[in-house]
Every structure is written in C-alpha cells, then in structure tokens.
C-alpha cells in the first residue's frame, strides 16, 4: 500500500512553545491530507482537512489559529501547534487520500510539559 | 450527523476462537475501510469494500459489506495472539471524509 511518513515520531516541548509536525506521502501525490488527534483508547478525531494550495478546513471546535496547517505541495502537509499547553498533549496522526482510501502516517506523540 | 456504530468495543477471547466485529449505520457509504492499529502507531489499512454484498478475505480475516452498503462485518477465524490490536472501521459517504467507528479493542489470549 501507499506510504505516508510523519516526523517527528515523538516530541516533548515546554508550555508556550510551538511545535511543527510534518506529514509526507512518499510514493504518491495527495491533493488532500487529513490531520487527526487520538486520545488513549479512543478512535480518531478529525481535526482538519488539508488541501494543497488552499486553506485548510477545520472541524467544529478546533482552533485554526492554534493548529496551523500548511499544505505546500502534493506530498507535504504540516501541522504547527502554536503556544502549546499541557492539554495539547496527545497523539497526532496524519493521513493522505488516494482514491477511496486513506493511508496513515505512524503518528506523533506530543508531550507538553 | 452520520454515525457508524461499531461493536463490540472490547473483546477478549482465547486463541483459536472465532469472532466477529460489526459496524452499522443508517447511512449509505460509497465505500468502507477496515483498519488495524497497534499502540503508538498509525492505523494500517486492511481492506476496502465498495460493492454491496461484497466479501473479501485476507488470510483468516473475512470482510463483508452489507447489500445496502450501510453495514459491514469483520470475522476472524481461529484467532491468534498476533491478531491483538485496535480494529477500526471507517465509512466514506459521498464526500471525501471518513466517518469512524469507535473501535474494537481485541485481545487474544494464548
């Protein structure tokens, strides 16, 4: 299947700092990428849809000024968590869409201290 | 709001037993995917079903899409400890987003 990479896999940052997470589709081009957040023992929660060359579409309740998304190319989308707080600590997963299917990155574990 | 109800949410069985996980909705999906997720990793796509009544097999896993494309099931035969994980179903309605089930945490005891 298609391969999606995510970097970093783990990051620890101090409260008030910003963290950037990269999502890359390695062997296909993706006009649409998705960013999810997952809490322990729960399913994925869609945060936003990232469209190449246009503004991201955010789900209700997700602060667009806090979670900045940039989809600069057909193979790269970035999520920047600005002014991170401990409650932002979570597992963030991206996916890239091709046809019917979405392929997921390995996830990024963010811990804000 | 479209919902996809997945059941059971938790299942712990002995090695060698069979099990079935269900995903049900009142909405029609153009396709439905099944994923498996290990702790600390992203979901891995197992299968996509598209046609009503479709059955797909992946070794000991059998996936079925309902005739009306509103429900799906995952059946595992002779479960093994390596099948342990979180199984997620996700349906694609006419737009491009996925509607996710709550997940089934499966534990196979040796």
């Amino acid at each position: 299947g298609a391969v999606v990479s995510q970097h970093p896999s783990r990051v620890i940052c101090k409260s008030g700092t910003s963290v950037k997470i990269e999502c890359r589709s390695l062997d296909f081009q993706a006009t649409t990428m998705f960013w999810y957040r997952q809490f322990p023992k729960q399913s994925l929660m869609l945060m936003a849809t990232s469209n190449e060359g246009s503004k991201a579409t955010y789900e209700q309740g997700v602060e667009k000024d806090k979670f900045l998304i940039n989809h600069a190319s057909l193979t790269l989308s970035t999520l920047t968590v600005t002014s991170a707080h401990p409650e932002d600590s979570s597992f963030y997963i991206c996916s890239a869409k091709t046809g019917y299917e979405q392929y997921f990155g390995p996830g990024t574990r963010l811990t804000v201290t | 709001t479209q919902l996809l109800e997945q059941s059971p949410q938790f299942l712990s069985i002995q090695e060698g037993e069979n099990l079935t996980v269900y995903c049900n909705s009142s909405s029609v999906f153009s396709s439905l995917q099944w994923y498996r997720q290990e702790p600390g990793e992203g979901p891995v796509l197992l299968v996509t079903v598209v046609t009503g009544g479709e059955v797909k097999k992946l070794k000991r896993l059998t996936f079925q899409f309902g005739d009306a494309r509103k429900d799906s099931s995952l059946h595992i035969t002779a479960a093994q400890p390596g099948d342990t994980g979180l199984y997620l179903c996700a349906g694609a309605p006419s737009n491009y987003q996925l509607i996710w089930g709550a997940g089934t945490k499966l534990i196979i005891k040796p």
Side-chain angles (χ1 to χ4, degrees):
Chain A
V3 179
V4 176
S5 71
Q6 206 170 321
H7 178 79
S9 58
R10 290 178 178 272
V11 58
I12 301 173
C13 69
K14 292 186 177 181
S15 185
T17 61
S18 295
V19 174
K20 179 185 284 188
I21 304 170
E22 291 187 350
C23 178
R24 294 180 184 273
S25 56
L26 298 184
D27 52 359
F28 65 101
Q29 293 183 330
T31 55
T32 304
M33 291 185 173
F34 302 89
W35 286 95
Y36 293 86
R37 184 172 179 178
Q38 187 175 32
F39 294 99
K41 300 181 181 179
Q42 293 187 23
S43 189
L44 285 72
M45 181 188 77
L46 180 65
M47 298 175 64
T49 301
S50 170
N51 298 297
E52 187 267 337
S54 64
K55 292 183 179 180
T57 303
Y58 290 82
E59 295 300 299
Q60 189 173 8
V62 179
E63 299 176 59
K64 63 180 181 180
D65 294 330
K66 181 169 184 61
F67 298 99
L68 300 178
I69 291 172
N70 185 291
H71 195 152
S73 75
L74 288 172
T75 59
L76 173 64
S77 176
T78 60
L79 167 67
T80 302
V81 182
T82 63
S83 187
H85 290 285
E87 57 265 32
D88 298 325
S89 298
S90 191
F91 192 53
Y92 293 88
I93 311 174
C94 72
S95 70
K97 183 178 181 294
T98 173
Y100 285 115
E101 299 163 344
Q102 288 188 26
Y103 292 91
F104 287 81
T108 297
R109 172 70 61 190
L110 170 63
T111 303
V112 184
T113 60
Chain B
T1 302
Q2 292 174 295
L3 296 174
L4 192 54
E5 295 182 353
Q6 187 171 346
S7 63
Q9 292 194 12
F10 179 80
L11 186 59
S12 178
I13 61 173
Q14 292 294 136
E15 180 178 2
E17 294 183 6
N18 301 332
L19 66 109
T20 303
V21 179
Y22 300 93
C23 275
N24 297 294
S25 176
S26 58
S27 302
V28 176
F29 295 107
S30 58
S31 68
L32 191 140
Q33 286 89 48
W34 285 91
Y35 294 83
R36 178 181 163 187
Q37 186 179 21
E38 301 284 352
E41 299 180 10
V44 174
L45 179 66
L46 296 175
V47 77
T48 298
V49 286
V50 177
T51 306
E54 182 177 7
V55 177
K56 284 191 174 180
K57 291 191 175 184
L58 188 65
K59 296 184 180 178
R60 292 175 295 99
L61 278 60
T62 301
F63 305 86
Q64 186 165 6
F65 202 15
D67 291 341
R69 291 185 288 133
K70 294 182 179 180
D71 55 88
S72 181
S73 64
L74 157 61
H75 182 79
I76 301 180
T77 304
Q80 298 178 2
D83 296 328
T84 294
L86 178 68
Y87 289 82
L88 296 158
C89 63
S94 56
N95 62 19
Y96 53 81
Q97 291 183 357
L98 289 178
I99 308 298
W100 289 89
T104 297
K105 183 171 175 58
L106 175 63
I107 296 176
I108 308 300
K109 295 177 286 187

